[in-house]
Amino acid sequence: MNLELQNAYQVKDNQNIILEMNDITKEFPGVKALDQVNIQVRENEIHALCGENGAGKSTLMNVLSGIYPYGTYEGEIYYQGKLCRFRNIKDSERIGIVIIHQELALVPYLSIAENMFLGNEQANAGVIDWDATYQKASKYMAMVGLHENPRSLIKDIGVGKQQLVEIAKALAKNVKLLILDEPTSSLNEQDAKNLLDLLLRLKDQGISSILISHKLNEINYCADKITIIRDGKSIETLTREEDISEERIIRGMVGREMTNRYPAREPNIGEVAMEIRNWNVYHPLYSERKVVDDVTINVRKGEVVGIAGLIGAGRTELCMSVFGRAYGTGISGQLIINGQEVHLKDIPQAIKAGLAYITEDRKGDGLVISNSIKHNITMSRPAFISNHGIIDKDLETKRAKELRAQLGVKTPTVEQNVGNLSGGNQQKVLIAKWIFAEPEILMMDEPTRGVDVGAKYEIYEIINDLVAQGKSVLMVSSELPEILGMCDRIYVMNEGHIVAELENKGVTQEMIMGYIMEDSKGDIGV
Amino acid sequence: MKKKKMFTGNMRELTMLVALVLIIVFFYIFTDGKILKPMNISNLINQNAYVVILAIGMLLCILTGGNIDLSVGSTVAFVGACAAIFIIEWHWNVYLSIGLCLLIGILLGMWQGFWIAYMNIPPFITTLSGMLVFRGATLLILKGGETIGPFPKEYQSLSTGFLPDIGGGITLFGQKLNLLALAVGIAIVVIFCAMQIINNINRKKKGYETDSAIALIVKMLGISVIVLYLFYKLASFKGIPTVLVILGILLLVYSFFTQKTVRGRHLYAIGGNMKAARLSGIKTKQMMFFAYTNMSFIAAIAGLVFAARLNSASPVAGQSFEMDAIASCFIGGASAYGGTGTISGALIGALIMGVLNNGMSLMGLSQNLQQVVKGLVLLLAVAMDVISKTNVVRAPRAKKTATAVVKS
């Protein structure tokens, strides 16, 4: 492939090491987060950092950028051949190392230009030079291919463009080494590809990147080298000349061969458990905007049904509106559960009717981070552990422990706050919370988002367990391989309506994307 | 494996309890033991009852997300004024008037709760409005700010009275003691210990985790000593103050509510994560409405108690009470963001404030200095907590960044 050849050529051409981190060890009270980690980044290189959640990737980058200052870790950092002792993030930025965090640090009510020069204002003696600000902003925006007015407010542009603003902001600081922590996690496929292409372009202009990502196809697409971290140790560094297939990377990350990323399941599909007919939902604020448009779908007992589509297709909105009208206004249509039409007016009714909606945003909408695991688990159906509204705390602890064991949540005690758990374990607690409510139909929205490969497999096994008990799972996922790997049947949704229903036999990612593209094309024609 | 939480989950409360004991010891030394004289203990209870009562209600509001109620001081004054009008001016039956006053409290709370829960007006604004409106209304019904009093004996005993003794008391070691107070103290200890033991036996039967024998004994012994000491002191003065009965009932009911009931649990969930609570089927608006209605109901009780103590209705009654109640909750470990905090913590917080006040008065320090000390103690208590937690992963607050699609 062209790309591969091009990369191979560049690696030969530039042997200069820009960054070297030697034997970095970082300890937190009771935990060794990093244990003698080594990494080398060359000039003009995109260096991917892979590892499961909690492997220590973010800690390593925090050490590099000075968030954990010199003295709080062991080991040495050499940047452009010089030993670095950063006291804070300003120190590292001054010499061209800029980190962009997963959760963007932009101020929504300030303009693009203002955000870009936040903390780095174009000023003379403390007085801001607005002309210079806007002119420079336009220059850097052109470099990252962001075509917006620099006076637009951040809140008015999409997440994909916000990500570009972050990169432009880094360019404004004269970045030489860009660190990106999961930059594409909230982007759709098109925006994600644009971003990766931008990184490749920047590489040609002499800016190296360290890319932290869970998405192996993206790493495959743009990385020159891949360093794999597991349990706080650097395991190996793969280069493009070697095998960097997804299977190879995963083997390094989990420390064992994963022959199948999706556990097998004996299909045992029964009658229709839930049917949604002619379902329409309007936006809660802009009530003339139709978010879900005449959707008719069904799920059978023991079946995993997937809803594929781009972000913004209305999949989350569909599930939430079914779940006791948790979203939207002007909801119309029929909801039939076990052959009987039901009218669910609020969430408590939906839970009683055997529905569960497992949110895509576990920290924002799913869990109470400051509460214990057991309180979170029993929150969905406190009636099961209480009598006349009075909680039986011993029973609560017992049930929470049972679910912890059932779902394999790795924690010594159910009294622990969920905020202290890793992403994968939090996700399991979230699922446990809804299994506790004993639902018949589970709507799972991005059930493995931000979860590492090992935990993903365990969550798939949980899903298989659920359908083996005759429950139904309606799964929303933006990862097509996951949809293809897990579902019996697939609905493709685009711009609020269903564009295809596919029996999962011989379906490919290209076919699904094809349906979406075809549908979107029709729209432009109108 | 860990045992029951007593020594783990409630670290903050435990430290504040230790702080309270140290403060008492400090004043014991510097007031020549005056602070623990039976009469002073009785006074302490009477003086601070209203703060504890208000702190109970305030805690529920704070739990819902760090929301406070600024109107309680004005509600205290308004309810006191109503009581004076009903009882003194119009000569209504005392008990009927008390009932009516509580109802008025509930109505004021429903008014505020309606705006907060159903119209989404921020609690700070709504209750700031309430603070002005109710204070103004108090001045109006007191005809421009007259003080009305005194109340009949029957009503006064609400706050300053003592429960009548049984059988004229007994004399032990040459000291006349109140028999009822002794009996109640012993009864509380016996019931508490029996409940602990029965609970543990039941747990063992059902195969649940139990307290270790040592933890159980330490717990029973600790509580027993404190209770017996307190009631012995009360017995050697005039017995059990009426207001202690009111206080005891409120503390028990609300502890039970927050720790043991589903509704109570909901308050914590709402404060921890409103959206997650809603998506779990919790009726968040209803709970907000309840918290604020309840707060004004509690404020009405405090208003009645305080008016009885003043023996009059004053237009300036209850000023800055809201601040004492809020400070008590935060000193006692409630989170300023909501979601954590306990009734017992609020009680300890209120006691720390009360003992500081009382001790400094006994030492002859000025009111002005007392304010300074109280303010610093509040800051110190919360700062200690925050600093001790800085290395622990904490709940991410809803950051006002541009993370339109936050993912973890």
Side-chain angles (χ1 to χ4, degrees), chain A residues 341-357:
Chain A
E341 184 168 359
V342 291
H343 299 277
L344 306 175
K345 287 193 196 67
D346 56 19
I347 294 168
Q349 285 184 12
I351 294 173
K352 280 214 186 83
L355 290 185
Y357 168 71

Side-chain angles (χ1 to χ4, degrees), chain B residues 19-168:
Chain B
L20 174 62
V21 172
L22 290 179
I23 291 169
I24 292 175
V25 169
F26 173 87
F27 284 118
Y28 186 82
I29 295 166
F30 284 89
T31 61
D32 302 325
K34 272 189 214 145
I35 194 149
L36 289 182
K37 288 262 162 65
M39 187 175 86
N40 193 51
I41 287 187
S42 209
N43 278 345
L44 250 173
I45 291 170
N46 280 326
Q47 276 169 8
N48 292 294
Y50 71 89
V51 183
V52 182
I53 293 174
L54 288 175
I56 291 170
M58 194 63 79
L59 183 83
L60 303 197
C61 293
I62 289 174
L63 283 181
T64 65
N67 301 312
I68 51 177
D69 188 337
L70 293 172
S71 71
V72 294
S74 300
T75 308
V76 162
F78 184 73
V79 169
C82 288
I85 301 279
F86 296 156
I87 298 169
I88 300 167
E89 302 255 295
W90 298 347
H91 305 288
W92 285 3
N93 174 292
V94 168
Y95 298 101
L96 174 74
S97 304
I98 289 174
L100 266 179
C101 285
L102 294 178
L103 193 67
I104 288 170
I106 291 172
L107 288 174
L108 296 184
M110 286 169 72
W111 164 256
Q112 299 200 117
F114 164 76
W115 290 104
I116 291 166
Y118 297 105
M119 304 311 278
N120 291 321
I121 311 292
F124 189 91
I125 310 283
T126 309
T127 60
L128 182 63
S129 149
M131 175 172 153
L132 299 169
V133 170
F134 305 151
R135 180 68 62 187
T138 310
L139 287 163
L140 283 178
I141 60 172
L142 290 178
K143 296 170 194 84
E146 293 168 30
T147 298
I148 304 180
F151 282 103
K153 270 265 164 314
E154 206 180 355
Y155 180 78
Q156 271 183 55
S157 64
L158 245 188
S159 182
T160 51
F162 294 84
L163 292 187
D165 198 4
I166 36 174

Side-chain angles (χ1 to χ4, degrees), chain A residues 82-138:
Chain A
K82 277 183 274 204
L83 180 63
C84 299
R85 293 175 174 178
F86 302 131
R87 282 159 302 167
N88 51 43
I89 199 158
K90 280 255 165 187
D91 281 358
S92 63
E93 284 186 353
R94 199 170 298 133
I95 59 169
I97 302 176
V98 178
I99 186 165
I100 297 177
H101 291 280
Q102 189 176 355
E103 291 179 12
L104 302 180
L106 298 171
V107 186
Y109 286 94
L110 292 183
S111 70
I112 295 176
E114 283 169 304
N115 267 287
M116 211 181 282
F117 292 102
L118 204 61
N120 180 25
E121 282 81 3
Q122 299 302 299
N124 294 318
V127 179
I128 293 181
D129 181 348
W130 286 110
D131 292 332
T133 301
Y134 287 117
Q135 194 219 336
K136 284 197 180 171
S138 303

Side-chain angles (χ1 to χ4, degrees), chain A residues 256-285:
Chain A
R256 61 178 188 278
E257 197 83 45
M258 290 201 56
T259 44
N260 196 347
R261 267 195 267 168
Y262 304 99
R265 166 175 84 233
E266 279 292 306
N268 180 19
I269 297 171
E271 61 214 53
V272 174
M274 176 174 79
E275 195 175 357
I276 301 162
R277 277 194 205 148
N278 307 107
W279 198 258
N280 292 295
V281 180
Y282 290 86
H283 193 279
L285 296 179

Side-chain angles (χ1 to χ4, degrees), chain B residues 150-387:
Chain B
F151 282 103
K153 270 265 164 314
E154 206 180 355
Y155 180 78
Q156 271 183 55
S157 64
L158 245 188
S159 182
T160 51
F162 294 84
L163 292 187
D165 198 4
I166 36 174
I170 55 165
T171 310
L172 268 178
F173 314 118
Q175 195 182 7
K176 195 168 170 350
L177 290 175
N178 182 298
L179 189 58
L180 181 70
L182 280 185
V184 169
I186 290 165
I188 290 175
V189 165
V190 169
I191 291 170
F192 175 77
C193 291
M195 271 172 59
Q196 288 291 322
I197 291 166
I198 290 169
N199 250 339
N200 252 352
I201 290 171
N202 276 342
R203 282 209 194 112
K204 203 165 247 174
K205 254 190 220 155
K206 291 185 194 162
Y208 295 143
E209 251 175 47
T210 52
D211 289 341
S212 74
I214 297 170
L216 191 66
I217 290 169
V218 168
K219 194 163 151 190
M220 293 198 310
L221 216 62
I223 301 272
S224 303
V225 167
I226 293 172
V227 169
L228 287 177
Y229 183 79
L230 175 68
F231 278 87
Y232 170 72
K233 287 284 175 178
L234 292 176
S236 38
F237 188 55
K238 290 186 189 163
I240 299 172
T242 330
V243 70
L244 187 63
V245 179
I246 300 175
L247 205 56
I249 292 171
L250 286 176
L251 285 171
L252 276 180
V253 167
Y254 282 93
S255 285
F256 183 82
F257 174 75
T258 51
Q259 298 305 310
K260 286 257 181 180
T261 68
V262 173
R263 287 304 173 110
R265 182 67 62 74
H266 286 176
L267 283 176
Y268 287 86
I270 289 173
N273 187 341
M274 177 77 97
K275 272 157 61 189
R278 197 176 70 87
L279 279 178
S280 305
I282 293 172
K283 294 187 170 161
T284 51
K285 286 175 192 280
Q286 217 180 58
M287 288 311 291
M288 289 297 281
F289 181 77
F290 164 76
Y292 278 90
T293 305
N294 178 68
M295 175 75 256
S296 295
F297 166 69
I298 294 268
I301 298 177
L304 292 171
V305 169
F306 192 69
R309 183 171 160 73
L310 278 186
N311 199 13
S312 65
S314 154
V316 293
Q319 251 164 9
S320 84
F321 280 14
E322 59 278 351
M323 296 304 160
D324 285 343
I326 293 165
S328 300
C329 292
F330 290 144
I331 290 176
S335 157
Y337 301 113
T340 49
T342 57
I343 294 288
S344 48
L347 169 67
I348 293 170
L351 287 177
I352 286 182
M353 302 263 288
V355 170
L356 279 173
N357 264 345
N358 179 273
M360 285 189 287
S361 297
L362 290 177
M363 282 172 73
L365 299 175
S366 76
Q367 275 285 326
N368 310 333
L369 188 65
Q370 291 181 23
Q371 292 265 7
V372 174
V373 172
K374 266 162 47 180
L376 289 176
V377 164
L378 170 64
L379 187 65
L380 192 74
V382 177
M384 247 170 50
D385 188 46
V386 170
I387 292 164

